[in-house]
């Protein structure tokens, strides 16, 4: 009997992605596994059932899941669905265990080996599996475009018969994967771009994308590459420098999101009040409570002179390519655990060990176990 | 008594522009005129009343208009408002007289000298007054961005750790001012761009913007620079060539709008049915009935594989800069008719003669008179 790998249709409202795209389904077959898909799972990412070759299309989610050795999903599935899985089967999905304790308990009790895609370690060998990065890249691109369609002016400098329009000022706060892609996109469109990050080593990356780097004169580098807590005097200095740049910006994209945690506050109400009329903020931290004071997830609000957009699930807007990249991230993980058509979980492998959240009746991630079991 | 020039607040739903921006108000004063503004007229283009220096802010539209020598507006005002104007005063606005006969009659009967901004002749001396061009430039930029936020994929080629994403295919149909700006914007964003127009002389312009030109092998050049009617065989050939390009496109922007007339049909239902799943059409001809079969003005519809967006009043989305350019277009016209602080209408001037729709109790534009008076 060959392994059966099944992808479910996402049930979360507003989710348009799918964990399996046709080109990956074909690659999985070459690993020696059979592939199954819940009917209509690819529709919202523009992959109709007929585009999946040699794939069983199954109407009933429970039958699909009950016969699968490996279940693929984008969002954390419901604990009820875990009850239907084969004991000892594998689940690969975003899990966010700290905020989904009931799901983690169900996975543990059913002895599921669960790979949490947000736990893929950020080491070079695992880059091709790094779903947070692949999704953040697309989100950074989209955030800028979402901002531009809400602005009363254009990004590029433009010379017309009746005079020139100045290029818009775009400020990107937080220069991770999403922030760098946002900088690149705004630069492509002809804006004057500035980047800011607490990590001064991002300066060169900003410059390489044609942006100025906002230097606050405060170095927040702490141990292990994480930012350290600033003193009150340092915080005041950072705020004063940033306020000037915020006040000059036509478009700001804030990208300081830490999955599963509260987003850090980057812009407060005072600073928003001093912005230009018609300015726009796209707050990519909205789902985590917002990088800006006043952001509401899923809403677009006029706050004094600025429009604050708090988008949720940005990658889902680019569902076709977000699904393609996510599915390929999963394929690269599958290639680590399937050899000659058989499952082989090497628990000494760093990527596998760090990504597994539950295995063989235990919660194997320390942070998640601490939250779920209090130990 | 100096001349009084007054701008009204636009009353049309969805209109965010204003005919007078602060920088133009100051320039008008230097012409020796007084300036007045209806309260709140600039708000939706982010020019609060306080940003207009030395400008009378008037709450009541009727008092404002009754005391003005020159009234400025964006959209055709109501015939009722004309009744309040001083006999012999001047109105400068978009008018579209063929579709607003009651307004034209009111202007004629009140002996208003009305300049219709859509009638500015397309000669080089008048370029700085050409409001259709200034607004179309912005609309072309915005149409592409509006398309991108509805696409399930990105425009640029992108290399990621998990593989490359191909650049999107963008087809722009109609290479006037809006179409060329749309081509430039899609090219900036990294798309593979193609342009099409019935006028083969637009080929070089497309090439200069990094686009391929879709050559149908049929030359529609007719007399006086206008396109001639094609034979049935020619039409079939054009359709066959275009169908291939339409089927390959991820984003299409159609720009064939003729103000005040029915938009020509560029894409029919057969062609839409053969497009790729997730493809998007932005139909800039929506207000004139649409360049695509099935377009509905003001709506976004899924039609088979394609999403058809039928935006109305695109320049209004970029209200700040659209107002700035429109207001400067008007300023350039005012400089032709105000000398040493006094009105001087030189009816032998080509620009003035062609732009005037009514003057001294007569309808002075032949096309409009034919429709309104039947003579």
């Amino acid at each position: 009997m060959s392994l059966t790998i099944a992808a479910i249709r996402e049930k979360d409202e507003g989710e348009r992605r799918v964990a399996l795209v046709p080109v990956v389904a074909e690659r999985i077959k070459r690993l020696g596994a059979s592939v199954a898909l819940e009917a209509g799972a690819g529709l919202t990412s523009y992959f109709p059932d007929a585009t999946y070759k040699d794939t069983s299309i199954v109407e009933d989610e429970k039958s699909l899941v009950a016969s699968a050795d490996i279940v693929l999903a984008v969002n954390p599935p419901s604990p009820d669905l875990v009850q239907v899985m084969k004991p000892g089967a594998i689940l690969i999905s975003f899990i966010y265990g700290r905020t989904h304790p009931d799901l983690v308990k169900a996975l543990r009790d059913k002895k599921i080996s669960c790979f949490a895609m947000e736990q893929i370690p950020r080491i070079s060998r695992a880059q091709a599996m790094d779903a947070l990065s692949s999704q953040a890249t697309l989100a950074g691109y989209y955030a800028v475009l979402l901002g531009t369609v809400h602005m009363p002016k254009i990004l590029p400098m433009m010379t017309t018969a009746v005079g020139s329009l100045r290029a818009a000022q775009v400020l990107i706060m937080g220069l991770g994967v999403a922030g760098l892609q946002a900088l690149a996109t705004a630069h492509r469109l002809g804006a004057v771009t500035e980047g800011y990050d607490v990590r001064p080593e991002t300066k060169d990356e900003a410059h390489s994308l044609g942006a100025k780097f906002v230097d606050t004169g405060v170095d927040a580098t702490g141990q292990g590459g994480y930012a350290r807590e600033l003193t009150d005097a340092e915080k005041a200095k950072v705020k004063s420098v940033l306020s000037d740049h915020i006040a000059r910006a036509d478009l700001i994209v804030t990208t300081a999101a830490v999955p599963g945690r509260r987003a850090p506050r980057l812009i407060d109400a005072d600073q928003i009040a001093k912005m230009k009329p018609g300015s726009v903020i796209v707050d990519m931290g909205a789902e985590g409570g917002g990088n800006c004071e006043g952001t509401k997830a899923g809403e677009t609000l006029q706050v004094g002179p600025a429009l604050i957009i708090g988008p949720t699930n940005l990658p889902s807007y680019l569902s076709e390519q977000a699904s393609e990249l996510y599915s390929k991230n999963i394929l690269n993980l599958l290639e680590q655990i399937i050899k000659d058509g058989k499952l082989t979980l090497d628990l000494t492998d760093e990527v596998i060990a760090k990504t597994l959240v539950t295995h063989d009746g235990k919660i194997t991630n320390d942070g998640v176990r601490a939250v779920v079991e209090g130990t």
Side-chain angles (χ1 to χ4, degrees), chain A residues 100-267:
Chain A
H100 294 86
D102 291 346
L103 171 61
V104 174
K105 285 175 194 164
L107 292 164
R108 174 194 64 194
D109 297 345
K110 197 83 184 190
K111 292 193 161 58
I112 303 298
S113 296
C114 175
F115 290 90
M117 290 301 285
E118 74 279 8
Q119 299 282 359
I120 294 280
R122 296 206 148 173
I123 58 176
S124 37
R125 188 167 69 81
Q127 273 182 20
M129 309 171 213
D130 187 346
L132 285 180
S133 287
S134 72
Q135 304 303 294
T137 301
L138 295 175
Y141 162 89
Y142 195 85
V144 167
L145 295 182
L146 187 60
T148 61
V149 294
H150 287 87
M151 291 170 68
K153 61 205 306 187
I154 65 174
L155 291 201
M157 203 266 286
M158 193 182 281
T159 308
T160 78
V162 70
S164 285
L165 299 174
R166 271 204 230 169
Q169 291 274 344
V170 177
L171 172 62
I172 310 294
M173 302 179 80
L175 301 180
V177 174
L180 292 172
Q181 192 59 45
L183 267 188
T185 304
H187 182 70
R188 274 178 186 281
L189 274 169
V192 175
T193 51
E194 294 185 322
Y196 167 72
D197 197 291
V198 290
R199 300 164 301 155
E201 68 270 23
T202 56
K203 183 174 182 170
D204 289 346
E205 291 178 280
H207 286 170
S208 73
L209 293 168
K212 280 186 264 181
F213 185 76
V214 178
D215 199 338
T216 61
V218 174
D219 184 348
T221 308
Q223 285 191 320
Y226 289 93
R228 69 177 168 81
E229 183 74 7
L230 301 182
T231 66
D232 284 350
E234 285 174 329
K235 282 181 189 166
K237 187 173 177 195
V238 166
K239 184 176 170 182
S240 145
V241 173
L242 283 176
S243 291
D244 288 344
H245 292 266
I246 291 166
R248 275 207 302 272
D250 297 299
L251 171 64
I252 297 178
V253 179
T254 65
T255 75
V258 188
R261 299 205 200 154
R262 176 123 199 13
R265 172 67 44 82
L266 300 181
I267 303 180

Side-chain angles (χ1 to χ4, degrees), chain A residues 279-303:
Chain A
S279 55
V280 172
I281 300 175
V282 180
D283 187 341
M284 292 182 70
E287 277 166 309
N291 297 138
C292 303
E293 198 168 342
T295 296
K296 289 219 164 44
E299 294 186 26
T300 296
L301 302 168
Q302 188 71 40
V303 179

